Amino acid sequence: YMGVTVLFIMAARYGQTKPMSRIVFEKYDTNGNNLISESEFKNMCYDLGYCLSDDEVAVAFATLDKDHSGSIGYDEFQSFWTTDQRFDKLRLTDDQLQKVQALAEYFRYFDTDRSGSVNTTEFRALFENLVQSGFQLQDIESTLARLNPEGDGEIKLNNFMSYMIEIGSLQL
């Protein structure tokens, strides 16, 4: 908390009227692109005393990245920052972590180059495997459209995890 407290004191001293959410956001937007990357988010959590596992970070980030852009914009960050017990919601129980890990393993199996994304051919095989394993999913075409809004043919792990949470296949 010390880094954020120092920022807040400095902002007050120099007459800044930025909300704390903006001060924290700008501190951890290290490249100044007005977006928080997953690694910047992980660093922020750690600096603020919340050491999350990689799986917890991936799920938290996917949950916060409402527009599925692969980064957190200020509006998304502010929604997170202004909630009570914001960090408590990022921690997973052992059961939840087990579910996240299992679902991530499905994805990683089809992510043959370990890039963190699968192409549409790989995703079709993943989708079929999930359906055969009893997951309730929408049809493949609407799922692909939802998971690949950029239309570049790449489905990112974070988008996939976020989608599975949204449709209720991964309950956290």
Side-chain angles (χ1 to χ4, degrees):
Y1 292 96
M2 186 174 234
V4 174
T5 303
V6 169
L7 279 173
F8 185 70
I9 291 168
M10 288 175 58
R13 180 177 294 158
Y14 295 105
Q16 296 286 337
T17 57
K18 292 181 183 177
M20 181 58 82
S21 59
R22 177 55 82 175
I23 293 168
V24 173
F25 183 87
E26 289 176 358
K27 175 180 174 29
Y28 291 98
D29 175 19
T30 56
N31 62 2
N33 67 350
N34 208 29
L35 298 168
I36 300 277
S37 68
E38 188 169 336
S39 64
E40 290 168 332
F41 179 74
K42 183 176 183 175
N43 290 336
M44 180 202 70
C45 291
Y46 185 80
D47 286 354
L48 297 176
Y50 297 91
C51 186
L52 304 177
S53 71
D54 289 343
D55 286 329
E56 287 174 322
V57 169
V59 169
F61 195 82
T63 302
L64 296 176
D65 181 19
K66 301 289 187 199
D67 66 359
H68 311 290
S69 64
S71 57
I72 299 172
Y74 179 68
D75 289 341
E76 294 165 319
F77 181 79
Q78 186 180 31
S79 293
F80 156 73
W81 190 259
T82 56
T83 59
D84 291 335
Q85 302 165 335
R86 58 187 154 264
F87 287 101
D88 292 345
K89 296 176 184 177
L90 303 184
R91 297 229 180 248
L92 301 176
T93 65
D94 289 343
D95 184 51
Q96 291 169 325
L97 186 57
Q98 209 170 33
K99 290 175 184 175
V100 166
Q101 289 170 334
L103 203 50
E105 272 307 306
Y106 270 107
F107 190 91
R108 287 184 193 115
Y109 177 80
F110 293 93
D111 180 14
T112 56
D113 64 357
R114 298 293 186 251
S115 64
S117 64
V118 293
N119 63 34
T120 53
T121 302
E122 292 168 326
F123 184 77
R124 287 178 187 280
L126 168 61
F127 183 90
E128 191 58 40
N129 188 284
L130 289 169
V131 169
Q132 289 174 1
S133 297
F135 284 90
Q136 298 297 316
L137 304 172
Q138 298 172 348
D139 68 279
I140 184 69
E141 296 308 321
S142 62
T143 301
L144 277 171
R146 167 66 182 76
L147 289 175
N148 186 233
E150 302 88 10
D152 62 2
E154 292 294 311
I155 291 90
K156 297 173 184 74
L157 174 60
N158 286 348
N159 290 0
F160 172 71
M161 296 298 275
S162 180
Y163 172 76
M164 296 302 279
I165 292 166
E166 284 177 23
I167 66 169
S169 289
L170 178 58
Q171 296 184 356
L172 302 179

